[in-house]
Amino acid sequence: MARYDFDLVVIGGGSGGVRAARVAAGHGARVAIVEHGRFGGTCVLRGCIPKKLFVYAADFARAFGDASAYGFAVGEVGFDWPSLVAAKERAIARLSEFYVRNLDGADVVRFAGHATLSGPNTVDIDGRAVRAERILIATGSHPERIAIPGLEHAITSDEFFDLPALPRRAVVVGGGYIAVELAQILAALGSDVSLIHRGPRVLRGFDDDIRRGVTDDLARAGVHLHMDNELSAIARRDDGTFEATLLAGDPLAADAVLLAIGRMPSSAGLGLEEIGVTLRPGGAIVVDGYSKTSVPHIYAVGDVTDRLNLTPVAIRDGQAFADTVFGGKDIAVDHHLVATAVFGHPPVGTVGLSEEAARAEHAEVGIYRAKFRPLLHTVTRKDEHTRIKLVVAGENERVVGLHIVGQEAPELIQCMAIAVKMGATKADFDATCAVHPTAAEELVLLRQKH
């Protein structure tokens, strides 16, 4: 009988890997986890958590501007970027340490170093061989880069939250979640922001009405939009600033050029292909519904599989893997109807099908819309609107998509995703009494079908 040092070795100390390690250990497995840096992964260290803290800072900047309309004499307001960066660092350090304490409390053995698979059941950790009956890859993803002259002068979201100073002029390249969020943060905190995107609207894959609205919101926030365009080169000037050259139009002067064009699975250098693990072009690990790879005892969860790159999905996949393999259960995670949010200004919450996808999938589709100025801005008179779009299908008008742009959209969509996941119909929404005055009441008051 083969002898193993551990029942499970997890490679990667992010949200999915840590959850899987803890749950497997809770089921009685002997578990080790390998991480070459701090525990917490992209979400805790350089993604969701620092991003949301910076969003709060941007919200304060806007709130100070709105306060006078409500009778407050705020006076001159100063902002210190290094103080925000330091506060962020303290917060993520606490969370990273919390991950470590939870692992130690579950008796998971921690290894610091780089891991590679040197054999079917062998993990090499900087020269130390560890044998495992099962191996879980949870190495996440990293920012994508483009091959252009001067690429070395660009930063990504990995470096953004540690910039030593707020850039006076910033060029953001991309049109997805990260580009939209960081452009809005920079603009609110006082940067002169330009956004370069190769498409006509941001947020590819979202509902077209939402894409149009968010693109307009960026322009209203003062972001200079260079749509249907691309970055072709970056040059460093003698004064230490940069010049970003576009395929069309004049060059842009910048103190920082931020690439936010997507993320790639971090599967390279692990020795996966050498032992028969199948990868897709781009490096994503191919898995089945139980997160199993083409090699029976090797599994993968999270962004490295490029299934649905969201932290809660990685956590759910890690939990399901551990419960199935070590807990005697049979759990395949359902990646259908997963809600998500974009923390721009105003933020976006969405779950289910876009109108375009619904019409391609269903013979009978109905649309209900609402657009209104939120009560907050009836006093400030800001040109900001909440938008709600309900997509229904079939004779019973089952809700197959819900899209919200507005101040509380992320919180709303988390709650409404439960109803959509349960198969609620438009009649179920209509039968629910409204809470007034709220933006959410419009969800149960929509009457005009388009």
Side-chain angles (χ1 to χ4, degrees):
M1 179 179 293
R3 295 182 62 84
Y4 301 104
D5 301 304
F6 296 96
D7 301 313
L8 171 68
V9 169
V10 178
I11 303 176
S15 299
V18 168
R19 174 60 65 89
R22 289 176 53 213
V23 174
H27 288 310
R30 298 170 301 151
V31 182
I33 189 167
V34 188
E35 171 56 53
H36 63 83
R38 288 194 291 179
F39 281 86
T42 297
C43 177
V44 168
L45 302 176
R46 51 194 169 269
C48 321
I49 299 301
K51 179 270 302 289
K52 190 67 180 289
L53 295 175
F54 278 52
V55 167
Y56 287 141
D59 288 343
F60 275 113
R62 299 184 189 99
F64 289 135
D66 293 340
S68 61
Y70 282 87
F72 289 89
V74 175
E76 185 176 351
V77 176
F79 169 67
D80 185 62
W81 174 274
S83 294
L84 173 61
V85 172
K88 173 273 303 180
E89 183 58 32
R90 290 191 296 271
I92 67 173
R94 285 193 297 270
L95 285 172
S96 181
E97 182 57 31
F98 180 70
Y99 272 50
V100 171
R101 288 199 306 271
N102 281 344
L103 288 167
D104 291 349
D107 293 326
V108 175
V109 177
R110 292 183 287 111
F111 290 101
H114 290 268
T116 56
L117 302 185
S118 55
N121 293 88
T122 304
V123 179
D124 184 281
I125 307 168
D126 292 336
R128 175 179 178 176
V130 174
R131 286 184 56 76
E133 184 175 8
R134 293 182 178 87
I135 298 167
L136 176 68
I137 311 298
T139 47
S141 62
H142 59 273
E144 186 176 357
R145 294 178 178 269
I146 47 178
I148 58 170
L151 174 64
E152 67 274 13
H153 301 309
I155 64 170
T156 69
S157 56
D158 280 0
E159 299 83 36
F160 173 80
F161 299 106
D162 292 312
L163 284 174
L166 174 68
R168 184 169 63 86
R169 299 161 302 178
V171 171
V172 179
V173 184
Y177 287 72
I178 298 171
V180 168
E181 292 169 342
L182 300 191
Q184 290 271 18
I185 288 169
L186 286 166
L189 295 179
S191 293
D192 183 17
V193 183
S194 297
L195 185 139
I196 305 168
H197 180 47
R198 61 185 178 182
R201 293 183 292 277
V202 297
L203 299 181
R204 181 172 61 88
F206 282 65
D207 185 272
D208 272 353
D209 282 341
I210 301 305
R211 297 182 67 196
R212 279 188 288 269
V214 173
T215 303
D216 291 344
D217 289 336
L218 282 163
R220 270 192 288 272
V223 176
H224 310 295
L225 300 179
H226 301 268
M227 311 304 282
D228 294 312
N229 213 328
E230 294 185 43
L231 178 69
S232 60
I234 308 170
R236 187 180 182 90
R237 294 171 162 177
D238 292 339
D239 63 359
T241 63
F242 305 99
E243 182 175 274
T245 302
L246 282 63
L247 287 181
D250 296 332
L252 302 173
D255 299 288
V257 179
L258 170 63
L259 295 183
I261 56 174
R263 297 183 66 85
M264 301 289 290
S266 295
S267 61
L270 295 173
L272 296 173
E273 290 179 293
E274 289 80 354
I275 62 171
V277 175
T278 302
L279 306 179
R280 292 203 301 270
I285 299 175
V286 177
V287 294
D288 65 12
Y290 294 90
S291 298
K292 184 183 294 185
T293 73
S294 54
V295 177
H297 64 278
I298 298 178
Y299 298 75
V301 298
D303 288 8
V304 75
T305 68
D306 199 25
R307 286 181 287 183
L308 197 55
N309 296 344
L310 298 168
T311 297
V313 173
I315 292 171
R316 179 67 65 87
D317 287 344
Q319 174 95 37
F321 154 77
D323 282 339
T324 298
V325 175
F326 297 101
K329 301 178 183 179
D330 184 2
I331 303 173
V333 177
D334 179 10
H335 294 115
H336 183 54
L337 294 176
V338 174
T340 189
V342 182
F343 292 92
H345 183 77
V348 177
T350 181
V351 63
L353 300 177
S354 66
E355 178 180 350
E356 298 73 33
R359 294 195 185 282
E361 189 173 317
H362 297 278
E364 186 176 346
V365 172
I367 304 297
Y368 295 85
R369 292 187 182 92
K371 179 181 178 181
F372 54 92
R373 190 194 301 268
L375 185 60
L376 171 69
H377 294 309
T378 60
V379 174
T380 68
R381 304 306 299 168
K382 271 191 174 179
D383 184 22
E384 183 178 311
H385 291 84
T386 295
R387 308 175 190 92
I388 295 174
K389 183 173 185 178
L390 200 65
V391 183
V392 301
E395 291 185 5
N396 69 338
E397 292 196 321
R398 180 170 62 89
V399 178
V400 296
L402 176 57
H403 314 281
I404 307 170
V405 181
Q407 189 175 15
E408 302 297 335
E411 302 292 342
L412 289 175
I413 209 66
Q414 175 67 89
C415 298
M416 296 309 301
I418 300 171
V420 176
K421 188 80 171 176
M422 292 177 67
T425 65
K426 182 63 170 61
D428 294 323
F429 277 51
D430 293 344
T432 304
C433 195
V435 177
H436 181 75
T438 66
E441 67 183 300
E442 293 296 328
L443 291 165
V444 299
L445 298 176
L446 295 168
R447 293 294 181 265
Q448 187 172 355
K449 188 175 181 179
H450 299 275

